[in-house]
Amino acid sequence: MPVLKFDPKVSASAQEALEPHIRPLYDQPGARRMAIIEFAHMERTEPAPNTDGKPSVKVRIMGLELPNKEQEHAVREAQRFLHLQRTARGTFDDDGQLELSESTLRLTAGLLSHIEVARLRAGLAHWREYAQRLVHGPELTISEVRHEMQALAEGLTAVLNTASDHSSDD
């Protein structure tokens, strides 16, 4: 896996967004600030073959916005939702119903839309992995392919039905 490195230079607009926060950060050791950041590829380093070096990519901060105190909650909520979407996990019970993991349920904070996004994400991830195993597995006959496609279709239908069952509970 390549190493990510940040270029110490930042764009003028990013520096401008940072300026009001520099003094408060200096005055409060350990202080934190939320930010929405855009970075751009600046340099790629690929080590020579048979060396111990790691490939790396250097990025520069091009755009940056820091929320004020009233906006910080919205940015934290977006961060939490993006984390939930990236990490949603679950397992299927004997009836084919998807049960979200405890950690995923904790991240939803009981919000129905978040639960449904996590449920759909975890279900799709499961069936994507299933399909990938089929693609990279041994050669299958036409009847085996039909059988596997039927299992895939039934699994995806169960994920969709579970989602629509829950959304109709409103």
Side-chain angles (χ1 to χ4, degrees):
M1 180 72 149
V3 175
L4 179 66
K5 297 180 179 182
F6 282 91
D7 188 328
K9 299 174 191 166
V10 297
S11 71
S13 64
Q15 183 62 38
E16 183 182 328
L18 284 170
E19 283 176 4
H21 301 275
I22 295 171
R23 187 57 162 178
L25 285 169
Y26 178 80
D27 291 342
Q28 299 172 342
R32 295 175 181 219
R33 295 291 189 271
M34 293 291 297
I36 298 172
I37 183 173
E38 174 188 5
F39 51 87
H41 175 274
M42 300 308 291
E43 179 181 299
R44 173 183 164 169
T45 305
E46 191 169 333
N50 301 321
T51 64
D52 291 337
K54 291 196 119 204
S56 67
V57 61
K58 186 183 285 187
V59 297
R60 179 175 296 154
I61 298 172
M62 301 304 290
L64 182 72
E65 293 299 329
L66 289 94
N68 62 32
K69 286 290 182 195
E70 295 80 31
Q71 298 166 327
E72 191 172 300
H73 174 73
V75 174
R76 284 194 187 282
E77 183 67 16
Q79 181 186 35
R80 188 172 65 81
F81 187 75
L82 290 170
H83 176 75
L84 169 67
Q85 186 181 25
R86 180 174 53 85
T87 63
R89 300 284 184 269
T91 57
F92 287 90
D93 65 16
D94 294 337
D95 297 328
Q97 297 298 309
L98 180 67
E99 295 179 4
L100 293 174
S101 68
E102 285 298 317
S103 62
T104 297
L105 285 171
R106 248 190 329 276
L107 286 170
T108 66
L111 298 174
L112 184 58
S113 61
H114 288 41
I115 291 170
E116 290 310 310
V117 166
R119 184 179 311 283
L120 289 169
R121 173 94 178 146
L124 289 173
H126 169 81
W127 290 108
R128 180 197 64 219
E129 290 168 14
Y130 182 90
Q132 285 176 333
R133 284 192 305 269
L134 292 176
V135 168
H136 298 295
E139 294 293 320
L140 300 174
T141 65
I142 294 294
S143 65
E144 289 172 327
V145 169
R146 283 191 182 119
H147 172 77
E148 295 298 345
M149 290 301 292
Q150 182 65 36
L152 184 61
E154 288 171 2
L156 289 170
T157 300
V159 169
L160 288 172
N161 288 344
T162 300
S164 63
D165 290 348
H166 285 278
S167 61
S168 64
D169 292 344
D170 293 346

